[in-house]
Amino acid sequence: MAAFKQDLKHIFDRFTYHGGVQFCLYDEEANQFNTIDYHGNTKASYQLDKLPAYFKSRGINYLYSNEYDPLARQLQISGRHYALPLYHHDSLIGIIYVKSVFYAFEGLMRAIRDFSEVALANLLLSKQVAMNDPLTGLENEHHLRQELTKANDNESLFYAVIDLCGLTALNDRYGSDIGDKAIKHIAGVVKRSFPKPQSRCLARTNNGHFGLLFSANDTVDAQKQLEWLRQLVEKSPLAIVHDDIGEADIVSTVSIGATPIEGSADGTLSRGLKNLQQAKLQGRNLVYLYPNELRA
């Protein structure tokens, strides 16, 4: 992403006269815009209650002020400027602001916008393939480790390992296709229960568990949130159609091990797995939260 931002600036430097370029990625799921630094890291995030009208189309917008654009005001973009929304199909994926006292040739701005859309869409697609689990579409363990490293010792973040109980028996009885549907069903329940930005990361790990990095006020609040999730999974059966039994509802349960974020990513992952084992040893279908002596 850093290379994309640098290339974008080089293009505007070469073909336009401008007073600065600002690029923001749009996260539709979290409804927030993220600025990117020149190392490719998220620098700042901005949420808008309502998108400006011209964000909703692929226009070449030359504006004289930021009066109707709360994002431009937060980014301190004032005076005459271009606002170029970037789309992939029908979804907003980013926006480019270009400070410009002079009105540029529209065909040139349109060509830069079109090139930027294609390049950004391809970049996001390759990133998605590299960072996402192919079965569920959730993030994978590589991305989870990156988020855990960035979240080091953040007292408002907790990590939970969620295991679907009885998956092996489900596969043996109904086949792996039904097992895969159950995994995707549970992934959907967790994702709806912990939407972004409450959830920093929801991933499917290499051993098939779900790894959840989420915000909570304290250990009591974290326990309540996970207990609510556990109960919701139990109350959300998966409707299936099987050759042997016809239509049926499969009731699933989960075991959850959780821990506050402390130390290295490997340490957090290890504690999460140990606490998951404690949840299983105590009877499954329950939440076991690591008793954190350091914060007691």
Side-chain angles (χ1 to χ4, degrees):
M1 195 60 68
F4 172 81
K5 182 176 179 179
Q6 291 170 352
D7 290 345
L8 191 65
K9 185 177 183 301
H10 291 329
I11 290 172
F12 280 107
D13 287 346
R14 181 174 181 180
F15 294 105
T16 68
Y17 179 79
H18 66 87
V21 177
Q22 179 64 272
F23 164 66
C24 290
L25 271 175
Y26 180 59
D27 184 341
E28 185 174 15
E29 186 178 353
N31 188 31
Q32 68 183 22
F33 290 88
N34 300 314
T35 59
I36 309 297
D37 66 20
Y38 282 99
H39 298 289
N41 302 313
T42 299
K43 187 176 180 180
S45 299
Y46 305 93
Q47 285 190 298
L48 303 182
D49 295 331
K50 183 179 179 181
L51 294 178
Y54 54 82
F55 278 32
K56 300 177 183 179
S57 65
R58 297 178 66 250
I60 305 297
N61 307 288
Y62 186 64
L63 307 168
Y64 289 82
S65 73
N66 60 16
E67 181 179 0
Y68 301 106
D69 187 345
L71 179 60
R73 290 197 296 272
Q74 292 184 64
L75 295 171
Q76 298 183 342
I77 295 172
S78 58
R80 298 183 181 188
H81 64 277
Y82 279 94
L84 307 175
L86 305 179
Y87 273 77
H88 179 55
H89 299 311
D90 295 326
S91 299
L92 179 67
I93 56 176
I95 187 164
I96 303 170
Y97 288 106
V98 185
K99 296 181 180 180
S100 180
V101 176
F102 303 105
Y103 186 79
F105 177 55
E106 183 171 339
L108 173 63
M109 298 301 288
R110 192 175 300 279
I112 295 175
R113 190 276 316 276
D114 292 349
F115 167 79
S116 300
E117 281 186 331
V118 174
L120 180 59
N122 288 337
L123 181 61
L124 292 175
L125 180 60
S126 63
K127 183 179 179 181
Q128 182 180 13
V129 170
M131 292 294 188
N132 285 31
D133 170 61
L135 176 62
T136 61
L138 300 178
E139 291 147 332
N140 61 22
E141 185 168 318
H142 176 68
H143 189 214
L144 174 63
R145 285 179 175 274
Q146 289 183 340
E147 291 297 325
L148 287 171
T149 299
K150 289 191 291 185
N152 184 29
D153 292 335
N154 187 325
E155 294 191 2
S156 67
L157 290 177
F158 291 77
Y159 173 64
V161 187
I162 304 164
D163 180 60
L164 173 57
C165 301
L167 179 60
T168 300
L170 188 66
N171 285 329
D172 291 342
R173 182 175 182 183
Y174 298 113
S176 59
D177 287 346
I178 297 299
D180 287 348
K181 287 183 179 179
I183 291 170
K184 290 189 283 187
H185 173 68
I186 299 303
V189 174
V190 180
K191 191 173 183 178
R192 290 190 296 272
S193 302
F194 288 85
K196 292 184 177 180
Q198 178 191 3
S199 164
R200 176 76 67 87
C201 179
L202 173 57
R204 188 161 180 250
T205 64
N206 295 340
N207 53 19
H209 299 137
F210 298 107
L212 174 65
L213 181 60
F214 68 103
S215 300
N217 296 327
D218 49 35
T219 54
V220 175
D221 182 36
Q223 178 89 25
K224 287 181 178 178
Q225 290 186 49
L226 295 172
E227 177 61 26
W228 183 82
L229 170 64
R230 185 197 65 77
Q231 294 180 26
L232 183 62
V233 168
E234 198 169 12
K235 295 175 182 177
S236 304
L238 169 65
I240 66 166
V241 178
H242 192 267
D243 293 340
D244 294 338
I245 61 174
E247 297 182 1
D249 287 340
I250 295 178
V251 177
S252 301
T253 60
V254 291
S255 301
I256 304 175
T259 177
I261 299 300
E262 286 177 352
S264 67
D266 285 334
T268 298
L269 290 168
S270 177
R271 287 197 308 276
L273 286 173
K274 288 179 181 178
N275 297 332
L276 174 63
Q277 292 304 316
Q278 287 296 320
K280 292 180 177 181
L281 290 172
Q282 294 183 20
R284 297 181 181 270
N285 191 24
L286 56 83
V287 177
Y288 184 88
L289 178 59
Y290 175 71
N292 180 25
E293 296 89 352
L294 295 180
R295 295 186 198 166

